[in-house]
Amino acid sequence: MRSNKDDAADARAIWLAAQHGDIRRVPLKSVEQQAVLALHRTRSHWVSVRTASVNALRGLLYEFGVVLGGGRQAGLKALAEQRAQIDEQLPQIMRTLVDGQLHTLVQVQQRIEQLEHELAAQQKQLKKADVPSPGAHPQRASGR
């Protein structure tokens, strides 16, 4: 079975699209716009890393009978409040792993906050330039 996906088919589709005037053109982004979108994508990546790290920590602790309820903040708060009791249930290797995971989460959170600060600064700069923004939230206002 042969597919229609090849360079010749792509070239023909591009040529046909160029012939039609009713096809909506996508406006080019400036270098600055691309950079701001890169900030959004990078922040999104680190939020995903943070979520995955918390879920991994939650799963590791669950294997030792430690259940962290709620979301990310509630789970980490419960872990901090009950750390002495939790440590009694864990072998030393696990305590070291938990310490490392918590240290990594602090670093990831700092990176997310740094990116949010940069996005807020970008939004402030847009307001100074009197450029209308699509929203008020710094992570969403610059067009992601």
Side-chain angles (χ1 to χ4, degrees):
M1 180 176 194
R2 188 181 155 170
S3 166
N4 289 333
K5 295 183 179 181
D6 59 22
D7 289 343
D10 289 345
R12 185 169 191 276
I14 292 169
W15 180 81
L16 286 171
Q19 303 304 311
H20 291 97
D22 61 339
I23 293 179
R24 184 177 68 93
R25 307 277 189 235
V26 176
L28 294 176
K29 290 181 179 65
S30 70
V31 174
E32 290 79 18
Q33 288 171 321
Q34 289 175 331
V36 170
L37 290 174
L39 278 173
H40 283 289
R41 285 192 299 272
T42 303
R43 179 192 172 277
S44 178
H45 163 74
W46 286 113
V47 168
S48 296
V49 168
R50 179 183 66 190
T51 301
S53 298
V54 170
N55 289 339
L57 179 59
R58 189 184 305 269
L60 290 170
L61 290 171
Y62 187 74
E63 291 178 15
F64 288 88
V66 177
V67 178
L68 297 177
R72 173 183 56 89
Q73 290 178 331
L76 292 175
K77 183 179 177 185
L79 177 59
E81 290 172 352
Q82 303 168 10
R83 185 64 194 266
Q85 297 92 347
I86 291 172
D87 280 352
E88 290 174 9
Q89 295 177 271
L90 302 176
Q92 181 58 45
I93 292 173
M94 268 305 292
R95 286 184 286 218
T96 303
L97 287 173
V98 169
D99 288 340
Q101 197 76 346
L102 291 173
H103 179 71
T104 299
L105 283 168
V106 168
Q107 291 176 321
V108 169
Q109 182 63 35
Q110 288 171 345
R111 183 66 179 130
I112 291 169
E113 290 170 2
Q114 178 187 14
L115 291 166
E116 289 173 348
H117 177 72
E118 290 177 38
L119 286 166
Q122 288 293 322
Q123 182 63 26
K124 195 177 209 179
Q125 192 174 21
L126 285 175
K127 284 185 180 180
K128 274 187 183 176
D130 217 17
V131 176
S133 62
H137 196 272
Q139 282 73 43
R140 296 179 190 95
S142 52
R144 174 151 191 255

